[in-house]
């Protein structure tokens, strides 16, 4: 998005299709609560300000309400509250800004930086770092800290910092100039007692250290020692595995600061962490954690029943003595009651999520290590003809699996570390069909459904390279969709499966690998997906048809199938309510009917040219009427490109009609 920094391999933090659009055309009903809540931010009562911040934070998680708040300058309203006298207000204000940055997208983050959110944010981070130890706070603030406000505020602020730095180069420059690294690393020292804060810091560090040579000089021996201490942490929880994985990625980003003599051992330590992360069976972990959750909830229910019975008995006894002081209704806190100290709700789900994030992060970084954009670095050399390099090439193959990874420009030290930690083998194992029992658990448990997408992302096709591996994964995904009598309709599942299939089929098409799904299966999936309320699902299914159709157009006797695909895409382009999906359908039509005798034959039979000529002015009019204000700048750029390609494609089809056969 213009100002976002280049990434070699990084999942997009925001949806490419942007927020869902309102369909009713009415005035925005969110204006009234937005105005009322923003006005409350100026209230003299800290409790009212806290309530307003918390309410805004909740509302900002709904993308369609964000414009109403932006129009009323929510950033400049919330920014000063980061330094409010009340710690509770600081925390909720930081949380609201965090949600705005996470749900608003790249342009919103750019706008936040333009409106100087970094000034109060940097001040807050430095003050929290100074007062991180409770005994450094004033007595009044200590009394306010029934919970650790300083660390909780820091966690919200670090996440906000991570989001804006991920999207905006100016924010990264301010991070460098203001010396924020020292404060951030001070938070990291709390990893043994607050792993959630440490994970937030590690995510932020990985973002700000990527492609940021100006920051390298700040990583002195003391700073590196903090990171190495975390890497050596022996804790085995999934959160700690994620923490070590993120820190390993950060150290790889700052590898230029590592003395040449220590580089080999450091690379080996990094890859050992990745190997340990990838070695864990995510499916078995899901099954185990789900069972642990059931047992915990069962025990909690039994305990609550016993307490309720005990309360009834206690109340009967108390009622017999009129002189006794009345006890307020509700749960009575008993001596030695440690319920408030137990893990927070859904900790099992958080553990599984942390594992999947760790594995995905490890795979991303490994691919970056193998695909350096700057082979001139000292540690990145042309692959030598040494025995170690030959051995790596041999071990990059698995019987019947094809080439898994090409060690592009890797030094002998890195190659050796890859082999010693069985990295190629671990990556290949991640392409296996996801555990069916684990998937079933996720499908039937609303809280666990979002994991489906994470499970599929761990098997991201960018980590693969061989025809057999890709075909095998495609067959697994097909089985996931078509193994049951009815096609899936769950939105989360459809988004995950169509995103994975789209990426996979695109990769297979680019490598001229034969598709494994029949045209009938593809059309059935697309028929199910095109009626989804989720724009991403609809974009994915028309893209899938475009990819598959372009492959079929190169074959023989495919005109009938191309006719079905063409009719489907034409109908979507002409009837779809979202311009983004309609534009994607047109793009897919251009791909399918761009070349080939079978495509030409099918285009004539479905009367593609006259249909597009008739639709062209309609599409232009829709862009003029609906485009402004409803779609992001990036989406409008894509739609402008589609409009231009539509004109060219019509001219191309007209030229074909005039060419003698």
């Amino acid at each position: 998005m213009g100002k976002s920094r280049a990434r070699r391999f990084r999942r997009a933090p925001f949806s490419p299709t942007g927020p869902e659009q309102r369909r009713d055309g009415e005035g925005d009903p969110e204006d009234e609560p937005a105005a009322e809540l923003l006005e409350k931010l100026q209230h003299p009562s800290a409790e009212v300000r806290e309530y307003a911040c918390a309410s805004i934070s909740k509302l900002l998680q709904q993308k369609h309400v964000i414009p109403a708040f932006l129009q009323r300058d929510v950033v400049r309203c919330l920014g000063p509250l980061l330094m409010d006298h009340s710690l509770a207000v600081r925390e909720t204000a930081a949380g609201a800004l965090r949600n705005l940055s996470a749900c608003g997208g790249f342009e919103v983050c750019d706008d936040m930086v333009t409106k100087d959110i970094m000034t109060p944010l940097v001040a807050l981070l430095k003050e929290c770092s100074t007062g991180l130890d409770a005994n450094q706070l004033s007595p009044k603030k200590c009394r306010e800290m029934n919970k650790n406000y300083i660390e909780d505020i820091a966690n919200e602020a670090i996440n906000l910092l991570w989001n804006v730095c991920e999207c905006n180069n100016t924010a990264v420059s301010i991070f460098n100039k203001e010396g924020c690294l020292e404060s951030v690393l001070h938070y990291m020292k709390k990893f043994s007692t607050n792993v959630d804060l440490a994970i937030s810091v590690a995510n932020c560090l990985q973002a700000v250290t990527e492609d940021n040579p100006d920051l390298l000089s700040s990583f002195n021996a003391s700073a590196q020692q903090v990171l190495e201490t975390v890497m050596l942490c022996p804790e085995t929880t999934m959160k700690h595995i994620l923490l070590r994985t993120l820190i390993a990625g950060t150290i790889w980003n700052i590898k230029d600061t590592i003395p040449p003599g220590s580089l080999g051992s450091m690379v080996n330590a990094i890859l050992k962490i990745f190997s340990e992360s990838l070695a864990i069976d995510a499916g078995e972990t899901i099954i185990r954690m789900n069972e642990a959750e059931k047992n915990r909830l069962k025990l909690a229910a039994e305990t609550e029943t016993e307490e309720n019975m005990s309360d009834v008995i206690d109340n009967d006894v108390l009622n017999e003595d009129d002189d006794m002081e009345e006890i307020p209704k509700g749960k009575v806190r008993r001596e030695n009651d440690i319920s408030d100290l137990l893990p927070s709700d859904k900790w099992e789900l958080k553990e599984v999520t942390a594992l999947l994030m760790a594995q995905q992060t490890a795979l991303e970084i490994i691919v970056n290590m193998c695909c350096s954009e700057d082979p001139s670095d000292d540690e990145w050399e042309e692959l030598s003809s040494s025995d170690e390099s030959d051995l790596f090439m041999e071990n990059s193959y698995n019987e019947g699996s094809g080439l898994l990874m090409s060690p592009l420009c890797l030094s002998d030290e890195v190659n050796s570390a890859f082999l010693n930690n069985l990295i190629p083998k671990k990556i290949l194992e991640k392409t296996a069909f996801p555990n069916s029992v684990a998937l079933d658990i996720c499908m039937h448990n609303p809280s666990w459904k979002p994991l489906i997408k994470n499970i599929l992302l761990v098997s991201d096709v960018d980590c693969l390279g061989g025809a057999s591996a890709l075909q095998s994964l495609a067959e697994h995904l097909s089985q996931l969709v078509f193994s049951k009598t009815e096609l899936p309709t769950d939105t989360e599942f459809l988004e995950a499966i169509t995103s994975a299939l789209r990426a996979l089929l695109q990769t297979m098409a680019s490598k001229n690998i034969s598709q494994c799904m029949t045209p009938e299966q593809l059309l059935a999936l697309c028929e199910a997906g095109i009626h989804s309320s989720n724009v991403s699902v609809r974009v994915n299914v028309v893209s899938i048809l475009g990819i598959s159709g372009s492959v079929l157009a190169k074959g023989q006797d495919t005109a009938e199938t191309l006719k079905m695909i063409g009719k489907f895409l034409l109908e979507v382009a002409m009837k779809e309510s979202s311009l983004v999906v309609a534009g994607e359908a047109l793009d897919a039509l251009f791909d399918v009917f761009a070349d080939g005798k079978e495509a030409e034959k099918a285009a004539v039979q479905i009367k593609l040219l006259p249909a597009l000529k008739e639709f062209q002015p309609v599409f232009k009019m829709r862009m003029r009427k609906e485009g402004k204000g409803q779609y992001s700048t990036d989406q409008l750029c894509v739609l402008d490109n589609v409009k231009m390609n539509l004109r060219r494609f019509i001219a191309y089809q007209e030229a074909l009609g005039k060419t003698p056969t």
Side-chain angles (χ1 to χ4, degrees):
M1 289 201 174
K3 297 183 181 179
S4 62
R5 293 177 293 141
R7 294 285 184 268
R8 289 189 294 275
F9 182 85
R10 174 65 59 85
R11 59 190 178 277
F14 305 109
S15 169
T17 57
E20 293 279 354
Q21 305 301 323
R22 297 184 60 83
R23 300 176 185 266
D24 52 18
E26 299 293 332
D28 194 344
E30 281 77 29
D31 282 340
E32 187 175 340
E36 183 180 345
L37 288 170
L38 290 174
E39 185 178 349
K40 280 183 167 60
L41 295 179
Q42 308 302 319
H43 199 279
S45 168
E47 289 185 355
V48 174
R49 296 197 301 277
E50 180 187 359
Y51 164 79
C53 288
S55 300
I56 292 171
S57 181
K58 185 176 181 179
L59 284 173
L60 289 175
Q61 296 179 56
Q62 306 171 48
K63 291 185 178 182
H64 66 274
V65 309
I66 290 177
F69 281 96
L70 291 177
Q71 289 169 8
R72 296 180 179 276
D73 215 3
V74 64
V75 178
R76 288 199 171 102
C77 292
L78 284 170
L81 298 185
L82 293 178
M83 299 303 292
D84 195 274
H85 295 301
S86 165
L87 296 180
V89 173
R90 291 189 185 190
E91 182 184 1
T92 49
L97 288 164
R98 171 187 175 180
N99 286 348
L100 178 64
S101 64
C103 301
F106 287 97
E107 290 183 347
V108 170
C109 287
D110 286 344
D111 185 59
M112 294 175 77
V113 175
T114 300
K115 291 181 176 175
D116 199 27
I117 194 58
M118 291 296 289
T119 295
L121 178 57
V122 169
L124 175 63
L125 287 166
K126 290 184 176 181
E127 183 171 317
C128 285
S129 177
T130 302
L132 197 57
D133 299 320
N135 59 7
Q136 296 180 22
L137 297 175
S138 67
K140 181 179 179 182
K141 288 185 179 179
C142 284
R143 287 195 302 270
E144 190 175 0
M145 287 178 60
N146 292 325
K147 63 174 195 150
N148 197 324
Y149 268 110
I150 296 298
E151 293 183 15
D152 290 344
I153 293 169
N155 192 35
E156 298 290 356
I158 287 291
N159 275 280
L160 171 58
L161 180 66
W162 170 29
N163 291 342
V164 293
C165 286
E166 185 72 41
C167 301
N168 187 280
N169 280 333
T170 302
V172 176
S173 298
I174 294 171
F175 182 97
N176 297 343
K177 182 181 177 182
E178 294 294 331
C180 295
L181 180 64
E182 182 180 355
S183 299
V184 169
L185 286 175
H186 191 45
Y187 299 133
M188 180 61 75
K189 294 176 183 178
K190 291 287 183 178
F191 76 92
S192 59
T193 57
N194 192 337
V195 68
D196 291 321
L197 174 60
I199 288 172
S200 298
V201 172
N203 274 308
C204 184
L205 282 174
Q206 199 183 17
V208 297
T209 55
E210 190 166 0
D211 303 323
N212 186 7
D214 294 340
L215 187 62
L216 295 182
S217 60
S218 300
F219 278 94
N220 53 28
S222 175
Q224 291 184 20
Q225 182 62 45
V226 174
L227 301 182
E228 290 174 18
T229 301
V230 178
M231 279 184 64
L232 296 173
C233 167
E235 297 289 339
T236 58
T237 71
M238 302 302 138
K239 286 186 177 181
H240 284 89
I241 289 171
L242 172 59
L243 175 61
R244 287 196 293 271
T245 302
L246 291 167
I247 292 299
T250 298
I251 291 179
W252 176 255
N253 287 343
I254 63 167
K255 57 187 178 296
D256 289 347
T257 67
I258 300 172
S262 305
L263 182 62
S265 59
M266 183 55 68
V267 168
N268 193 64
I270 290 171
L271 291 175
K272 183 179 179 182
I273 288 173
F274 294 162
S275 179
E276 290 173 348
S277 169
L278 295 173
I280 300 173
D281 189 321
E284 291 299 324
T285 304
I286 287 173
I287 295 170
R288 189 175 71 254
M289 286 294 174
N290 183 254
E291 191 63 29
E293 182 185 63
K294 289 179 181 177
N295 292 336
R296 177 175 60 82
L297 294 175
K298 180 181 178 182
L299 181 61
E302 292 173 351
T303 303
E304 185 176 0
T305 301
E306 292 176 1
E307 288 182 350
N308 289 339
M309 291 179 63
S310 177
D311 287 342
V312 170
I313 295 172
D314 289 345
N315 287 334
D316 287 343
V317 173
L318 291 172
N319 289 336
E320 293 176 2
D321 191 344
D322 294 334
D323 295 331
M324 290 189 67
E325 180 182 354
E326 182 181 355
I327 295 180
K329 295 180 180 179
K331 183 177 177 181
V332 180
R333 176 64 183 265
R334 291 178 170 77
E335 189 177 356
N336 300 324
D337 182 3
I338 62 167
S339 60
D340 293 344
L341 306 178
L342 292 175
S344 60
D345 192 25
K346 299 188 185 304
W347 69 268
E348 300 91 351
L349 178 59
K350 292 176 182 177
E351 282 285 284
V352 176
T353 303
L355 171 62
L356 291 170
M357 290 176 64
Q359 294 185 341
Q360 188 182 347
T361 301
L363 290 171
E364 290 174 0
I365 299 170
I366 289 168
V367 172
N368 285 346
M369 295 171 81
C370 296
C371 304
S372 173
E373 292 178 322
D374 185 9
S376 63
D377 291 345
D378 292 339
E379 73 285 352
W380 292 83
E381 308 164 0
E382 288 295 330
L383 187 63
S384 72
S385 57
S386 67
D387 292 339
E388 277 189 338
S389 298
D390 293 338
L391 181 61
F392 178 77
M393 290 297 292
E394 292 171 6
N395 279 271
S396 293
Y397 285 86
N398 188 291
E399 291 184 14
S401 297
L403 182 62
L404 176 63
M405 291 178 62
S406 298
L408 306 178
C409 305
L410 287 179
S411 67
D412 291 346
E413 281 184 308
V414 178
N415 287 340
S416 179
F418 264 66
L419 282 176
N420 293 338
N421 290 284
L422 303 175
I423 295 297
K425 178 177 181 291
K426 298 289 176 58
I427 294 178
L428 185 59
E429 289 171 352
K430 293 299 150 189
T431 71
F433 181 56
N435 187 305
S436 58
V437 177
L439 284 172
D440 192 59
I441 288 172
C442 297
M443 282 293 294
H444 293 91
N445 190 327
S447 299
W448 293 60
K449 272 186 180 178
L451 290 180
I452 295 173
K453 188 172 184 178
N454 298 75
I455 293 169
L456 294 175
L457 284 173
V458 168
S459 298
D460 197 292
V461 296
D462 284 326
C463 292
L464 311 175
S468 297
L470 289 169
Q471 285 179 319
S472 176
L473 181 56
E475 289 168 4
H476 291 329
L477 292 175
S478 301
Q479 181 184 345
L480 194 60
V481 178
F482 298 107
S483 59
K484 301 195 173 164
T485 54
E486 293 185 1
L487 287 173
T489 56
D490 177 79
T491 300
E492 288 280 356
F493 181 82
L494 272 175
E495 184 176 2
I497 201 71
T498 55
S499 296
L501 274 173
R502 178 183 180 179
L504 179 60
L505 293 175
Q506 182 65 60
T507 301
M508 293 175 73
S510 68
K511 296 177 183 294
N512 294 318
I513 299 171
S514 60
Q515 310 280 327
C516 68
M517 295 177 68
T518 67
E520 291 76 19
Q521 286 179 323
L522 283 170
L523 282 168
L525 174 63
C526 293
E527 284 283 1
I530 204 63
H531 298 296
S532 171
S533 60
N534 186 297
V535 171
S536 295
V537 173
R538 304 203 300 275
V539 166
N540 286 338
V541 295
V542 294
S543 179
I544 286 170
L545 271 187
I547 295 164
S548 300
S550 64
V551 172
L552 288 170
K554 299 173 185 176
Q556 295 181 347
D557 301 323
T558 57
E560 288 302 314
T561 303
L562 293 175
K563 282 168 58 179
M564 290 190 293
I565 292 175
K567 288 178 181 178
F568 182 94
L569 292 173
L570 265 177
E571 184 175 3
V572 173
M574 295 177 178
K575 296 183 179 180
E576 169 62 46
S577 60
S578 167
L579 271 177
V580 172
V581 182
E584 189 73 30
L586 287 171
D587 256 343
L589 280 168
F590 306 154
D591 291 338
V592 173
F593 295 97
D595 194 21
K597 294 296 182 183
E598 295 296 307
E600 291 177 23
K601 187 191 307 182
V604 171
Q605 292 178 3
I606 65 172
K607 300 179 180 179
L608 179 64
L609 178 57
L612 290 178
K613 289 177 73 173
E614 183 180 349
F615 179 64
Q616 186 180 24
V618 176
F619 186 70
K620 288 181 178 178
M621 182 183 67
R622 283 194 63 187
M623 282 191 62
R624 284 196 301 270
K625 290 179 65 176
E626 302 172 30
K628 192 172 183 181
Q630 288 193 30
Y631 297 95
S632 69
T633 304
D634 272 13
Q635 289 170 332
L636 290 175
C637 287
V638 171
L639 289 169
D640 275 331
N641 195 45
V642 171
K643 183 175 67 174
M644 180 177 63
N645 287 338
L646 176 58
R647 185 180 70 248
R648 292 175 175 174
F649 186 77
I650 288 173
Y652 164 72
Q653 287 289 318
E654 288 176 332
L656 278 180
K658 296 175 183 177
T659 304
T661 56

